[in-house]
Amino acid sequence: SITSVSLEPVLLLISVERAARWHEAVLESGVWGISVLGRHARPTASWLSTPGRPLHGQLDRVPHHRGEHTGVALLDGALATFECRTTGVHPAGDHSLVVGEVIGLEIPPRVDPALIHFRGRYGHLD
């Protein structure tokens, strides 16, 4: 999940399961990206949330580009993308709360319904 924390500076918070491979990668690199997906990106979201998917080549089937400020992978066609630099990590049960300063932002000039995940199902916000 993603939560806005502050406007000055602009900070986001994500909750990351400690057992996830992504957790270790974020802690090591200190930078990360968020791509807000539209409802038509459900297959992409399903693929990227599949446990045990191959570590190498997992983005081969997903159109993406590298962020200008961090070099992290950002998904093409996203409703918005954020590039963040980690400013704090806080233990929270089997997750970590990772706070990051937004150092790059892209918002295309279109508005589509956002893809959401709630109660184990995908849906969208109109």
Side-chain angles (χ1 to χ4, degrees), residues 44 59-65 74-77:
T44 298
L59 290 176
D60 290 351
R61 62 169 73 178
V62 180
H64 66 284
H65 62 283
L74 301 169
L75 303 185
D76 295 349

Side-chain angles (χ1 to χ4, degrees), residues 2 11-14 22 26-27 29-34 70 72-74 82-88 98-101 103:
I2 307 163
L11 299 175
L12 294 178
L13 178 147
I14 56 174
W22 197 81
V26 166
L27 295 185
S29 71
V31 294
W32 40 279
I34 298 290
T70 61
V72 300
L74 301 169
F82 300 89
E83 292 179 78
C84 298
R85 178 182 305 115
T86 300
T87 60
V98 181
V99 178
E101 181 176 4
I103 57 175

Side-chain angles (χ1 to χ4, degrees), residues 34-38 41 65 74-81 106-108 110:
I34 298 290
S35 297
V36 179
L37 301 179
H65 62 283
L74 301 169
L75 303 185
D76 295 349
L79 301 180
T81 61
E106 293 179 18
I107 303 175
R110 70 176 202 299

Side-chain angles (χ1 to χ4, degrees), residues 4-123:
S4 173
V5 175
S6 169
L7 292 176
E8 188 57 43
V10 179
L11 299 175
L12 294 178
L13 178 147
I14 56 174
S15 178
V16 183
E17 185 178 15
R18 287 185 181 171
R21 293 182 302 211
W22 197 81
H23 183 273
E24 184 178 332
V26 166
L27 295 185
E28 285 181 14
S29 71
V31 294
W32 40 279
I34 298 290
S35 297
V36 179
L37 301 179
R39 71 174 176 195
H40 300 300
R42 182 177 174 183
T44 298
S46 292
W47 166 247
L48 293 175
S49 64
T50 300
R53 70 185 177 284
L55 180 60
H56 300 287
Q58 64 182 305
L59 290 176
D60 290 351
R61 62 169 73 178
V62 180
H64 66 284
H65 62 283
R66 295 289 171 178
E68 176 183 340
H69 303 282
T70 61
V72 300
L74 301 169
L75 303 185
D76 295 349
L79 301 180
T81 61
F82 300 89
E83 292 179 78
C84 298
R85 178 182 305 115
T86 300
T87 60
V89 180
H90 310 278
D94 61 356
H95 281 60
S96 290
L97 302 178
V98 181
V99 178
E101 181 176 4
V102 176
I103 57 175
L105 169 66
E106 293 179 18
I107 303 175
R110 70 176 202 299
V111 178
D112 292 330
L115 182 67
I116 62 168
H117 191 265
F118 179 69
R119 292 188 175 176
R121 294 183 166 166
Y122 287 103

